[in-house]
Amino acid sequence: MTPEPPARTRQAPTLEAVAELAGVSRATVSRVVNGSLRVSPAAHAAVTRAIAELGYVPNQAARSLVTRRTDTIVLIVHERPDTVFADPFFASVLRGVNQALSVTQLQLVLLQVQGDRQRDRALRYVGNGHVDGVLLISLHGDDIMPMSVSGAGVPLVMAGRLLTGDPVDSVDADNVGGARQAVRHLVATGRRELATVAGPVDMSVGVDRLAGYAQAARDAGLPASATRVETGDFTEASGQAAAARLLAEHPTIDAVFAASDLMALGVLRALRAAGRRVPDDVAVVGFDDAAPAVYADPPLTTVRQPVERLGAEMVHQLLRRIADPTGDAASVILPTELVIRSSA
Amino acid sequence: MTPEPPARTRQAPTLEAVAELAGVSRATVSRVVNGSLRVSPAAHAAVTRAIAELGYVPNQAARSLVTRRTDTIVLIVHERPDTVFADPFFASVLRGVNQALSVTQLQLVLLQVQGDRQRDRALRYVGNGHVDGVLLISLHGDDIMPMSVSGAGVPLVMAGRLLTGDPVDSVDADNVGGARQAVRHLVATGRRELATVAGPVDMSVGVDRLAGYAQAARDAGLPASATRVETGDFTEASGQAAAARLLAEHPTIDAVFAASDLMALGVLRALRAAGRRVPDDVAVVGFDDAAPAVYADPPLTTVRQPVERLGAEMVHQLLRRIADPTGDAASVILPTELVIRSSA
DNA sequence: TTGAAAGCGCTAACAA
DNA sequence: TTGTTAGCGCTTTCAA
């Protein structure tokens, strides 16, 4: 009287069982499962039926052991130790990643990394063949992860670009172009005394959006006095503080380009606190990273980057790189879009 | 002259290599790696040194093949085919999950599931021993996934609860209590003509928040006429439409409880569109699911649920269940908190 | 405390 | 087109 084993323990059907039921060898079953062409219709049918009957699903561990593939990629989010990464941006990227992945056999492992300990653990995980490829979202402009990963020969695609200039497969929004759109819009609507609340200078997004701002201001023939810059860290509070500084020192400002949506919100608050009217008095344009700034009231004119698509493109590029590990690093730049709403 | 193999291909050191270098058997190395007590200090030292020298990391596939553990859990997000799941809520849960996981050896696989096809694929994935446990966030009140998963003997913890009443390990916010807090607050501040914009009746959050609202209204001795209900689907647009209906039919309303933050935003817009002043004319309290309603201007009084903690608690409960698969299903209810801001 | 040996379920030559 | 066979790297009895 052997006791009934718990469901959990009940042996999942193996290749062997399928082979037996179908009356063929394990190799043939394997061929069918893996879509080999060199199988007779009869064998194929028998195997397919047996698989259905038994509810067979390949054991991934056994498969990985021999193929050295894992059918898994990892998304690493390398945050700063102190900062909380902007949720909506991340969630939107993730949505795009999942969508692109849903038509593949690949599974997604998620790794949130803060600090050197966790980073090194992640690096070890990746370096040890646990995944077929890496997607990286890094908040560090000089992160060592990208080079460590690609140096280990593991396919990698990162969001944004490396401030070090090292070549890495990457997908990025057109931050320079987006900032230019913002400035051109402000100038086109008659603004002449511009300022920007820029992002951190140690992040490519920060650098690029500032560069676009400066370029466009120069192109518009604005004097240097009309290109004020204060820096924030992408948070609402920092945007508010930066705007307050701007207003105190340059009361004649009539437009602000905020390099993130959260900072744009802060700018709005600072303007209100200072008794300025938006947009009559001062116009505001923010960069839309999918954070909730669009819920500002009145709604904000923004430069929108296609965040979800960014995630999907990262996957596509990674798949390409996995299929063909050779060749130079490629950068995909996604266009931004100016979305005009009432407050600018 | 064998060509230099690419880094990728270079054999990772195996147990065998470690054993040889340490001058012991593979079994002994395995014991050290897995923390067995029955190893002599000398052997232990030799093995430890060899591991460090070689940079050995166990091959997870080989290990899983024999242990039948995967050291992986999966977070399944079962969305509706049409709806886009609220990003910030999801991202916050994920943050809590990751945080709880970071002190373990477990890896997190993420599965976004929409529609029956993907659901069945996920079920097969889980049922075939790919993961040690499942975390489930479901938007379907009568989802078959929970019972399928736990019926297959795979440890499962879900967020929320099943409308079917089936017993499943779960973690939930105190939605009933939170809604009561909201109503009590409105009553305490002098409101007498209440209404709610409730959530979908096929989701436990919707049902529970409505139940709390009704309970508290009754407890406060409000007449039935003061417990109007309109239903939305948790989106801002639906909140706005519901509030518009409410205002049209019951112009005397002086307070609205919105069962989600996005719907609260919609309510605010509807009130403004109707020329009502907030909060003087009509007070609004929303349920804070970590969506951006708190960015409303003026800020909204909300009932806040601890979303991040919810994720962490789900992990803790799952770990318990994995360690001890027997025993009855348990429900953890997390308290909510009333956060009073200007608009109510 | 240690080692020898038997697989875990699968893929991939190689032979037939 | 099919089957046979030899492992992939690890854990785990079982004996010593």
Side-chain angles (χ1 to χ4, degrees), chain B residues 254-271:
Chain B
D254 62 6
V256 178
F257 164 58
S260 86
D261 35 22
L262 253 24
M263 290 201 300
L265 261 186
V267 170
L268 284 183
R269 291 209 201 278
L271 288 170

Side-chain angles (χ1 to χ4, degrees), chain B residues 107-189:
Chain B
Q107 235 43 260
L108 179 72
V109 166
L110 195 68
L111 233 38
Q112 255 175 95
V113 171
Q114 287 188 339
D116 291 356
R117 267 190 100 81
Q118 289 187 26
R119 181 199 59 196
D120 294 343
R121 188 180 157 200
L123 246 21
R124 245 175 291 127
Y125 178 75
V126 166
N128 218 255
H130 285 284
V131 296
D132 296 345
V134 177
L135 300 176
L136 178 65
I137 300 181
S138 176
L139 263 41
H140 307 251
D142 59 347
D143 199 341
I144 65 160
M145 284 198 91
M147 297 318 286
S148 304
V149 170
S150 64
V154 180
L156 165 80
V157 173
M158 71 174 294
R161 65 181 180 84
L162 245 24
L163 240 24
T164 57
D166 288 312
V168 169
D169 281 297
S170 65
V171 179
D172 202 359
D174 182 9
N175 290 306
V176 175
R180 298 178 64 161
Q181 280 178 295
V183 170
R184 279 202 300 262
H185 170 72
L186 290 168
V187 172
T189 52

Side-chain angles (χ1 to χ4, degrees), chain B residues 57-275:
Chain B
V57 181
N59 178 311
Q60 182 60 48
R63 178 179 273 177
S64 290
L65 189 54
V66 32
T67 60
R68 286 162 185 301
R69 282 184 300 97
T70 59
D71 290 331
T72 296
I73 67 172
V74 63
L75 172 61
I76 301 180
V77 184
H78 194 185
E79 306 181 326
R80 294 196 150 116
D82 46 338
T83 322
V84 164
F85 191 45
D87 286 349
F89 174 78
F90 168 62
S92 293
V93 172
L94 200 51
R95 179 173 301 281
V97 167
N98 264 298
Q99 183 202 306
L101 241 30
S102 70
V103 296
T104 73
Q105 284 294 346
L106 269 49
Q107 235 43 260
L108 179 72
V109 166
L110 195 68
L111 233 38
Q112 255 175 95
V113 171
Q114 287 188 339
D116 291 356
R117 267 190 100 81
Q118 289 187 26
R119 181 199 59 196
D120 294 343
R121 188 180 157 200
L123 246 21
R124 245 175 291 127
Y125 178 75
V126 166
N128 218 255
H130 285 284
V131 296
D132 296 345
V134 177
L135 300 176
L136 178 65
I137 300 181
S138 176
L139 263 41
H140 307 251
D142 59 347
D143 199 341
I144 65 160
M145 284 198 91
M147 297 318 286
S148 304
V149 170
S150 64
V154 180
L156 165 80
V157 173
M158 71 174 294
R161 65 181 180 84
L162 245 24
L163 240 24
T164 57
D166 288 312
V168 169
D169 281 297
S170 65
V171 179
D172 202 359
D174 182 9
N175 290 306
V176 175
R180 298 178 64 161
Q181 280 178 295
V183 170
R184 279 202 300 262
H185 170 72
L186 290 168
V187 172
T189 52
R191 309 292 168 164
R192 288 296 174 271
E193 298 265 342
L194 271 48
T196 186
V197 176
V201 293
D202 61 350
M203 291 176 60
S204 67
V205 260
V207 171
D208 292 349
R209 289 173 190 179
L210 178 56
Y213 165 82
Q215 272 180 33
R218 197 172 52 240
D219 291 352
L222 295 180
S225 67
T227 53
R228 286 107 186 179
V229 179
E230 283 286 341
T231 300
D233 63 3
F234 285 146
T235 64
E236 182 178 347
S238 75
Q240 185 165 357
R245 291 196 298 273
L246 244 17
L247 290 170
E249 293 178 32
H250 312 286
T252 55
I253 287 172
D254 62 6
V256 178
F257 164 58
S260 86
D261 35 22
L262 253 24
M263 290 201 300
L265 261 186
V267 170
L268 284 183
R269 291 209 201 278
L271 288 170
R272 279 196 196 129

Side-chain angles (χ1 to χ4, degrees), chain A residues 8 98 112 153 272 292 297, chain B residues 8 98 111-112 153 272 292 297:
Chain A
R8 193 78 216 284
N98 264 299
Q112 255 175 98
R272 279 195 195 130
D297 200 4
Chain B
R8 193 76 216 284
N98 264 298
L111 233 38
Q112 255 175 95
R272 279 196 196 129
D297 199 5

Side-chain angles (χ1 to χ4, degrees), chain A residues 11 24 29 43 48 65 71 102 108 132 146 150 163 165 180 191 231 251 259 288 295-296 313 332-333 342:
Chain A
Q11 276 294 20
V24 298
V29 176
T48 305
L65 189 54
D71 290 331
S102 69
L108 180 72
D132 296 344
S150 63
L163 241 24
R180 298 178 64 162
R191 310 293 167 164
T231 300
D288 182 356
Y295 292 101
E313 289 293 339
V332 175
I333 308 288
S342 64

